[in-house]
Amino acid sequence: MSYKRWNVEKAIVLALRELGGTASRKIIRQTIAANEYANLRYEDVYDTKVSARTGRAYNPFLYDFNFGLKNLHTVGYISSMEWGKEISLTSIGRTVSLSHYPTSEQTQLVTNYWNQKTRERVHRRLTAMQESDDKLADRDENLVVIDDPESQQDADESQWKSDLIECLKKFNPGKFENFSRALISKMGVTIDKNRGVVRSADHGIDGFGYFKSDEFTIEVQQVRKK
């Protein structure tokens, strides 16, 4: 048997009025069931159903109950909706006649509220989808590196070599020689001070140095940039 949906706003207000205007959600439901406000019987308030999707038992009335609380808050009949705290009627909720509830103005307020909530929910879903797409894109970019590290290493090496060549092309001859001597020195080569550091314009040998190891000695010649 399918569940019958209920408009429970009047029942909530009547129960709260009987309880002095303030009560917990649990006590409000108990009072509605005990007094059968709005023709709600005990079984209507407390019967459970089993979800076809999850297989878990749930109380369908709670949906209508919380929906009704939101509507009453929207029209100004209750003052608070904080979880764990009691629900309280406003001065309007305590005294207003319920014979014409909801009025056309109240219906419009409630409609606007839920339309806004729907727009916010859609926006959150779209935002979540976009964030998910961005994460997937980032993951795919990372997978390129992870799946083919050698290709990525080759690409990186090729790029820095190209960048270095472009920088070296911008050096004037003197700056290029200074850079070359610094590089050779970092490689462990000792510059021969006698055979020297010579600058010339013939694109020939500009200096001599030695690299020593346990097995051999190598003579290094520095050549001017062309």
Side-chain angles (χ1 to χ4, degrees):
M1 181 178 177
S2 61
Y3 171 73
K4 177 183 176 181
R5 304 307 307 273
W6 295 92
N7 294 320
V8 300
E9 288 94 323
K10 290 183 180 181
I12 292 172
V13 172
L14 291 172
L16 279 168
R17 287 178 178 178
E18 181 174 328
L19 294 166
T22 301
S24 68
R25 288 172 167 81
K26 180 179 179 180
I27 298 300
I28 295 171
R29 293 196 301 273
Q30 289 177 353
T31 305
I32 291 173
N35 293 276
E36 297 190 353
Y37 289 131
N39 296 319
L40 282 159
R41 299 166 301 170
Y42 183 92
E43 53 268 31
D44 296 324
V45 175
Y46 289 108
D47 272 2
T48 60
K49 293 187 176 297
V50 177
S51 170
R53 184 173 62 86
T54 65
R56 295 180 179 179
Y58 69 100
N59 177 208
F61 177 78
L62 286 176
Y63 178 87
D64 292 331
F65 181 75
N66 290 317
F67 192 85
L69 287 175
K70 287 285 188 181
N71 291 347
L72 291 171
H73 186 260
T74 300
V75 300
Y77 280 18
I78 62 175
S79 60
S80 176
M81 284 288 297
E82 296 182 57
W83 284 105
K85 294 187 177 181
E86 293 187 332
I87 303 297
S88 297
L89 289 173
T90 62
S91 57
I92 297 175
R94 289 173 183 268
T95 59
V96 70
S97 172
L98 298 178
S99 58
H100 299 294
Y101 180 89
T103 65
S104 57
E105 292 81 2
Q106 289 170 333
T107 299
Q108 189 61 52
L109 282 173
V110 170
T111 299
N112 291 343
Y113 171 81
W114 290 110
N115 284 344
Q116 178 62 29
K117 297 298 287 186
T118 299
R119 287 192 293 270
E120 291 174 358
R121 184 167 61 253
V122 170
H123 176 72
R124 287 196 299 271
R125 287 180 179 176
L126 291 175
T127 301
M129 290 172 62
Q130 182 61 52
E131 291 176 350
S132 177
D133 289 344
D134 292 343
K135 289 179 180 178
L136 287 174
D138 291 341
R139 187 195 68 179
D140 290 343
E141 290 178 1
N142 292 333
L143 287 176
V144 172
V145 179
I146 295 172
D147 289 346
D148 194 3
E150 292 184 359
S151 296
Q152 183 64 36
Q153 184 177 356
D154 291 343
D156 292 341
E157 184 175 348
S158 177
Q159 182 62 48
W160 77 257
K161 285 182 178 179
S162 298
D163 293 342
L164 177 60
I165 291 172
E166 291 302 315
C167 290
L168 292 176
K169 286 180 179 180
K170 297 176 182 179
F171 285 1
N172 58 45
K175 188 173 182 180
F176 179 79
E177 289 178 20
N178 290 332
F179 169 78
S180 298
R181 284 195 293 274
L183 179 60
I184 290 172
S185 177
K186 291 292 185 182
M187 294 169 60
V189 175
T190 302
I191 301 296
D192 189 319
K193 294 183 180 179
N194 295 321
R195 301 177 70 179
V197 176
V198 182
R199 289 191 178 181
S200 63
D202 60 0
H203 304 293
I205 296 172
D206 296 323
F208 294 86
Y210 301 96
F211 177 82
K212 296 182 179 181
S213 73
D214 294 337
E215 291 86 14
F216 51 80
T217 298
I218 299 175
E219 182 180 279
V220 179
Q221 298 178 348
Q222 179 187 343
V223 181
R224 179 184 291 275
K225 173 189 176 187
K226 294 183 180 181

